Amino acid sequence: MPIPKLFMMLVLLLGIGVAASRGSSEVSVRVASQSLATSACSGSFVEHDLPHITTSRQQPARGTDGEGSGLALGDLNNDGRIDIVLANENGPATILWNQGGFRFRKQILADPDTRAVAIVDVDGDGWPDIVFTHNVGIPSYWHNQKGQGFAQAELPGVRYKAYTMLWDDLEGRGQLDLVTASYDTLLDAELKDSFLFSEGAGVVLYRPGPKGYLPERLARRSQALSIAAFDVSGSGKRDLIVGNDFGVPPMVWQPTAKGWEAVHPFPHFSQNVMSLSVADVHNDATPELFSSDMKPDFRDPKALVAWIPLMEKGYKGLTRSASQRPENMLQRRSVHTFRNEAYTLGIDATGWSWSAKFADLNNDGFSDLYVVNGMIDQELLGYLPGGEIVEQNQVFRNVNGRRFEPRPDWKLGSIRSGRGMSIADLDNNGRLDIVVNNLNAPAQLFENQLCGGPALEVSLRWESKNTRAIGAQVMLHTSQGQQWRQVTATSGYLSGDASRIHFGFPASETLQGAWLEIIWPDGKHSAFKNLRPQTLLTLTRQEG
């Protein structure tokens, strides 16, 4: 059931959404409320093909051609429905305008050879824009013409080549920073001597200035596939994490009074980081950092057939070092360091894994894990038909924060060689749907028909240049515990996230006495009570 365009005018101005007046760090919020739809359930996801195919530049794919592209989810025209933008490494990108009822209107966006994509309000005018990275170029920016189309514009000062990117309000100034990182293996292969003898690319932090972005180069070289903002020290300030491929150690920077300082907090890390995501899997308001890598589940006989020749050839990507291992890791902060919980939770081996994200798929109050898999490389995997490792995508249910169990009955085990993936409620019924950008096969939408409890969804608005409050933390406090979420613009592999936050909870649990806590990017707090199930709240921060 679609949400009307004018629902934002249904504002509840009095009696709710006012923060307590304990100090100057607290701010009140203005509230708009809309009921979410209810719909029947079947106990699994239902697959829909989408009218988009990301193709590799060579057939079959070779080398970096086999690494595909991402996608982004977000409400591009402010009509209350979340739209889809799909990148394409060998062709034009696609916008799928959400018409409701899982119907989409396709629009080709003439921006060729795109890899990562983010939907983010770059100029702070209230209308989300689109930003892409490319095979070998600098990011491209499509400015939203207030819902009347997009016009290509400039990101002044952004001049380094980028493969992946992060948009975030890292210093809580009410404006978005851009972090880009290069995948030098691709640049070396494509540009050869012209890149070898150039100034390079690497990791660059761009801060918005009065006349454009001001670049600060943090590293001259990188093999980056994913970037995350994550509080390493527990100080409340989020640090920059760059995940690298090919055994290059992760790069971590912390903000200090003198600038961004490189640190090395992780005793062990994934060796070939394909994606990074942040989640609180234990519901204790202490988020963890998850990295996906290449490790087969040898309980699957078909996986053994595909992987053993690769290991016998001594593929270096599968060789562990003292500090890096080719497997998924879940980094959890302990007293003085980080420990890896992926083994104990049962999520260390998911195949040749790309985008991996946590979300409460069955509305039981705990964040589940979905991972998309597969690889195509005629040079590396020529012993397989089409040079392709064919593996199912993997979904794991979070069992009360104690372990993760595979749920093949949820019917998410596609074998289409997924790459980018994002999760959001596309039909406004309180259940999270999944969109996957595959390589050399149609993109897919998985409609969530699991039979779980109700949901509460939250969209934040901030009257600043950071209009969607990217970087904010939102916690739902109930009699059963607390759920933590963070508003992000990008996560996983080359993919963008909708800014709307989702909380699920069992049907047996009520929201009586429950409340929301919001920590805005600048550290100020808001509180909101009087919560009702199956509701979408739009909370707008009020200054003064």
Side-chain angles (χ1 to χ4, degrees):
M1 173 179 272
I3 295 178
K5 290 185 178 181
L6 298 180
F7 87 92
M8 291 288 290
M9 297 181 65
L10 302 176
V11 178
L12 309 177
L13 291 174
L14 299 174
I16 57 177
V18 179
S21 56
R22 293 195 300 268
S24 59
S25 67
E26 303 205 33
V27 292
S28 61
V29 292
R30 187 173 69 250
V31 185
S33 176
Q34 173 69 32
S35 295
L36 294 168
T38 57
S39 53
C41 63
S42 66
S44 65
F45 282 76
V46 175
E47 177 184 333
H48 304 270
D49 282 357
L50 295 174
H52 173 91
I53 299 178
T54 289
T55 58
S56 57
R57 290 172 291 171
Q58 301 179 73
Q59 297 292 339
R62 295 174 181 271
T64 56
D65 286 349
E67 298 184 351
S69 295
L71 68 109
L73 304 178
D75 185 358
L76 291 169
N77 54 356
N78 291 336
D79 68 348
R81 303 188 191 104
I82 292 175
D83 308 298
I84 305 171
V85 180
L86 295 138
N88 189 348
E89 72 165 90
N90 184 39
T94 298
I95 301 176
L96 297 179
W97 295 96
N98 191 341
Q99 307 296 293
F102 296 105
R103 294 176 294 107
F104 297 90
R105 176 172 58 86
K106 180 177 179 178
Q107 177 186 345
I108 296 297
L109 198 60
D111 198 348
D113 306 335
T114 50
R115 291 284 190 164
V117 55
I119 295 175
V120 62
D121 187 359
V122 172
D123 59 345
D125 66 352
W127 293 87
D129 310 298
I130 304 172
V131 182
F132 294 101
T133 66
H134 295 265
N135 290 326
V136 296
I138 64 173
S140 58
Y141 165 39
W142 291 84
H143 181 248
N144 193 329
Q145 305 295 292
K146 301 189 185 303
Q148 302 301 310
F150 293 87
Q152 197 156 14
E154 182 185 5
L155 292 169
V158 176
R159 64 185 184 88
Y160 290 97
K161 294 175 175 59
Y163 187 84
T164 188
M165 62 182 161
L166 171 82
W167 289 89
D168 210 298
D169 189 350
L170 292 169
E171 299 176 12
R173 297 176 297 169
Q175 52 189 349
L176 291 176
D177 306 297
L178 167 64
V179 183
T180 66
S182 59
Y183 190 41
D184 287 356
T185 292
L186 174 61
L187 296 177
D188 285 332
E190 296 288 327
L191 302 178
K192 297 182 172 59
D193 286 353
S194 64
F195 178 68
L196 178 64
F197 296 106
S198 72
E199 63 176 340
V203 182
V204 185
L205 167 63
Y206 295 95
R207 295 184 179 88
K211 296 183 179 180
Y213 288 90
L214 306 174
E216 178 183 354
R217 205 168 180 196
L218 301 177
R220 296 185 63 85
R221 300 279 295 182
S222 62
Q223 297 286 5
L225 298 181
S226 189
I227 312 173
F230 176 69
D231 183 1
V232 170
S233 64
S235 66
K237 296 181 179 180
R238 288 172 308 125
D239 312 299
L240 280 176
I241 318 289
V242 173
N244 289 301
D245 198 1
F246 298 117
V248 176
M251 302 171 182
V252 185
W253 290 273
Q254 290 182 332
T256 69
K258 297 181 180 180
W260 290 84
E261 176 184 350
V263 294
H264 306 280
F266 303 112
H268 299 96
F269 213 80
S270 297
Q271 184 166 290
N272 314 282
V273 178
M274 319 295 260
S275 86
L276 296 170
S277 56
V278 177
D280 175 14
V281 304
H282 300 288
N283 285 0
D284 61 359
T286 302
E288 293 87 19
L289 177 70
F290 185 76
S291 53
S292 66
D293 202 322
M294 307 177 299
K295 183 180 180 181
D297 182 354
F298 287 132
R299 293 171 296 184
D300 180 359
K302 292 182 179 179
L304 281 171
V305 172
W307 282 81
I308 285 179
L310 189 63
M311 292 185 289
E312 288 177 343
K313 289 198 305 182
Y315 177 51
K316 64 181 180 180
L318 302 175
T319 304
R320 69 171 58 196
S321 67
S323 61
Q324 291 181 277
R325 300 167 183 169
E327 60 194 14
N328 303 339
M329 291 194 180
L330 185 76
Q331 304 285 350
R332 180 170 174 79
R333 188 186 305 112
S334 58
V335 177
H336 300 294
T337 185
F338 281 85
R339 66 176 185 270
N340 172 28
E341 288 196 334
Y343 290 118
T344 57
L345 293 175
I347 52 175
D348 59 296
T350 54
W352 198 303
S353 301
W354 298 90
S355 205
K357 300 193 181 189
F358 292 87
D360 186 359
L361 298 176
N362 63 339
N363 283 7
D364 68 349
F366 286 88
S367 293
D368 311 299
L369 174 64
Y370 189 53
V371 185
V372 297
N373 289 328
M375 183 56 182
I376 308 173
D377 185 343
Q378 183 63 35
E379 295 176 350
L380 183 64
L381 305 169
Y383 59 88
L384 294 172
E388 179 177 4
I389 284 184
V390 178
E391 297 177 306
Q392 289 187 333
N393 296 344
Q394 301 289 323
V395 64
F396 299 85
R397 180 194 171 201
N398 185 340
V399 183
N400 300 322
R402 297 191 299 269
R403 60 185 173 87
F404 283 79
E405 63 176 16
R407 293 305 299 260
D409 57 308
W410 287 2
K411 298 183 180 179
L412 287 169
S414 171
I415 57 171
R416 287 193 185 175
S417 210
R419 298 297 184 269
M421 179 269 292
S422 285
I423 303 173
D425 180 5
L426 294 179
D427 59 344
N428 294 322
N429 69 349
R431 298 178 193 152
L432 291 173
D433 310 295
I434 303 172
V435 182
V436 179
N437 195 359
N438 299 306
L439 181 62
N440 294 332
Q444 293 163 292
L445 186 158
F446 295 95
E447 175 189 351
N448 190 339
Q449 293 189 5
L450 296 182
C451 303
L456 176 72
E457 299 186 5
V458 181
S459 289
L460 299 183
R461 298 291 183 270
W462 186 9
E463 294 171 355
S464 69
K465 290 290 187 181
N466 181 6
T467 61
R468 296 318 191 258
I470 305 301
Q473 301 174 64
V474 185
M475 282 166 280
L476 174 63
H477 299 267
T478 74
S479 60
Q480 303 300 313
Q482 58 189 350
Q483 297 185 43
W484 177 95
R485 302 286 187 269
Q486 182 169 277
V487 184
T488 57
T490 53
S491 68
Y493 177 67
L494 304 181
S495 296
D497 300 316
S499 59
R500 187 192 299 179
I501 295 297
H502 169 274
F503 297 101
F505 44 93
S508 60
E509 181 179 333
T510 70
L511 290 180
Q512 185 174 0
W515 60 287
L516 283 174
E517 179 184 4
I518 303 156
I519 304 175
W520 298 89
D522 62 354
K524 293 189 176 182
H525 289 242
S526 296
F528 178 72
K529 299 181 179 180
N530 297 346
L531 303 175
R532 288 176 287 188
Q534 283 299 99
T535 300
L536 167 61
L537 298 174
T538 300
L539 306 181
T540 302
R541 172 172 163 173
Q542 295 181 293
E543 306 294 344

